[in-house]
Amino acid sequence: MASGVLSFPLTAFHDDGSLDPDGFRAHVAAQIATGPGAVFPACGTGEFFSLDEDEYRRVVALTVEENAGRVPVVAGIGYGWAQAARFARLAEDAGADALLVLPHYLVAAPQDGLVAQLERIAARTRLPLITYQRGQVAYTADSLKRVAALPNVIGLKDGHSDLDRLQRLTLAAPEDFLFFNGAATAELQARAYATVGVPAYSSAVHAFAPEIANAFFTALRDGDEGTVDKLLRGFYVPFVELRDRVPGYAVSLVKAAARLRGRPVGPVRAPLTDPSAADLADLKALLTAGLDLVGAAL
């Protein structure tokens, strides 16, 4: 999975909010054609929280069909362990290769509870699990050792960006345990994560501008600091500043940018909202400038 950007496709909806299978299939096909390291359907960027079980099953199944075995398909699951196990069975039946366990719903929990959550999910699926620490989920080194000892827990995605904690986790884990940078707009912190042994990262930008995402990944991998700095200054930093204007823009802007490029992904579902006209104009200008930096066009 560290061989390319990790792709988190958008779930396509019609204007009335219903699932658009054809639009989603076209979007996933375009994503996979750009050579990601893995594809993660029905996760945060894919609005997992808004999908019912039948929609979820279709999204995962369509991804598996379009992927045709080219890269790993890692489906999102979440809520409490009982519901996560239901989604895990649907993903398994649909042909997913692994599962990303999104943070559980609402409540804070002690370390023993976080471990028990993973134990119960792991006991109910044969698929490999990657746990996602973000929000109310944050493991200690001792807890991660217990989680990593579960036979089908293979990795951790980190969204806290606490590099001191993360370094302790990487040192406590088995050598073959996978770690991923899951910070919002992960490219902004990709250098820092790499210094503690976590070079792999997810990219929301890949969902609408794979040219930019892949150029950044290549430059970072090859030590091309000039290109990394150019893309950070000219695109990623202003994109984060625009993203931070409104809660939920981490998904809404990504979907709007995909629409600007003619991708049939439709609107976001409530409680998210689509960008204002002013923010959309700023997004279009920034996207045009970012694509120009890598020799591409809107």
Side-chain angles (χ1 to χ4, degrees), residues 114-177:
L114 297 180
V115 175
Q117 168 92 337
L118 263 293
E119 288 174 340
R120 283 160 174 74
I121 297 171
R124 289 164 173 79
T125 181
R126 64 175 180 80
L127 293 180
L129 302 175
I130 298 167
T131 186
Y132 190 2
Q133 68 166 16
R134 184 171 180 166
Q136 66 268 37
V137 177
Y139 296 99
T140 64
D142 287 342
S143 294
L144 186 70
K145 288 179 183 178
R146 295 165 61 190
V147 166
L150 299 172
N152 53 339
V153 176
I154 64 168
L156 177 141
K157 181 182 178 184
D158 175 73
H160 285 295
S161 303
D162 181 339
L163 297 184
D164 180 283
R165 175 188 289 269
L166 185 58
Q167 183 71 91
R168 295 170 191 268
L169 297 183
T170 62
L171 294 173
E175 288 188 6
D176 60 349
F177 200 73

Side-chain angles (χ1 to χ4, degrees), residues 18 29 50 72 79 91 103 108 111 116 121 154 172 190 223 255 260 265 293:
S18 61
S50 78
Y79 305 114
Q111 292 295 309
I121 297 171
I154 64 168
K255 217 165 195 184
L260 285 172
V265 296
L293 289 173

Side-chain angles (χ1 to χ4, degrees), residues 47 246-249 251-253 256 259 267-276:
E47 298 178 76
V246 176
Y249 266 17
V251 176
S252 300
L253 280 182
R259 292 195 301 273
V268 292
R269 275 183 174 175
L272 300 179
T273 58
D274 289 312
S276 67

Side-chain angles (χ1 to χ4, degrees), residues 18-258:
S18 61
L19 185 68
D20 178 3
D22 293 336
F24 179 72
R25 184 188 289 274
H27 174 60
V28 168
Q31 288 284 285
I32 293 171
T34 65
V39 60
F40 288 69
C43 293
T45 306
E47 298 178 76
F48 166 78
F49 60 86
S50 78
L51 301 176
D52 66 28
E53 291 186 7
D54 182 61
E55 291 170 331
Y56 174 87
R57 178 191 57 77
R58 295 183 74 189
V59 163
V60 178
L62 287 169
T63 305
V64 171
E65 290 174 14
E66 286 300 323
N67 179 59
R70 284 176 282 182
V71 297
V73 174
V74 186
I77 61 173
Y79 305 114
W81 64 262
Q83 288 173 290
R86 289 174 63 90
F87 282 104
R89 287 193 292 273
L90 292 171
E92 188 171 333
D93 290 344
D97 299 301
L99 303 168
L100 177 66
V101 183
L102 302 172
H104 63 269
Y105 172 69
L106 190 61
V107 297
Q111 292 295 309
D112 285 347
L114 297 180
V115 175
Q117 168 92 337
L118 263 293
E119 288 174 340
R120 283 160 174 74
I121 297 171
R124 289 164 173 79
T125 181
R126 64 175 180 80
L127 293 180
L129 302 175
I130 298 167
T131 186
Y132 190 2
Q133 68 166 16
R134 184 171 180 166
Q136 66 268 37
V137 177
Y139 296 99
T140 64
D142 287 342
S143 294
L144 186 70
K145 288 179 183 178
R146 295 165 61 190
V147 166
L150 299 172
N152 53 339
V153 176
I154 64 168
L156 177 141
K157 181 182 178 184
D158 175 73
H160 285 295
S161 303
D162 181 339
L163 297 184
D164 180 283
R165 175 188 289 269
L166 185 58
Q167 183 71 91
R168 295 170 191 268
L169 297 183
T170 62
L171 294 173
E175 288 188 6
D176 60 349
F177 200 73
L178 304 175
F179 285 91
F180 306 96
N181 167 5
T185 315
E187 287 91 345
L188 206 64
Q189 302 186 56
R191 278 173 168 158
Y193 271 82
T195 65
V196 294
V198 183
Y201 61 88
S202 59
S203 176
V205 170
H206 188 271
F208 64 87
E211 303 97 327
I212 298 173
N214 287 335
F216 183 91
F217 179 89
T218 300
L220 187 68
R221 180 196 62 197
D222 295 346
D224 181 355
E225 299 295 332
T227 298
V228 169
D229 284 342
K230 179 181 71 173
L231 292 173
L232 288 174
R233 289 194 184 99
F235 177 76
Y236 283 101
V237 169
F239 179 75
V240 168
E241 291 171 350
L242 180 57
R243 182 201 72 196
D244 288 347
R245 288 183 188 176
V246 176
Y249 266 17
V251 176
S252 300
L253 280 182
V254 172
K255 217 165 195 184

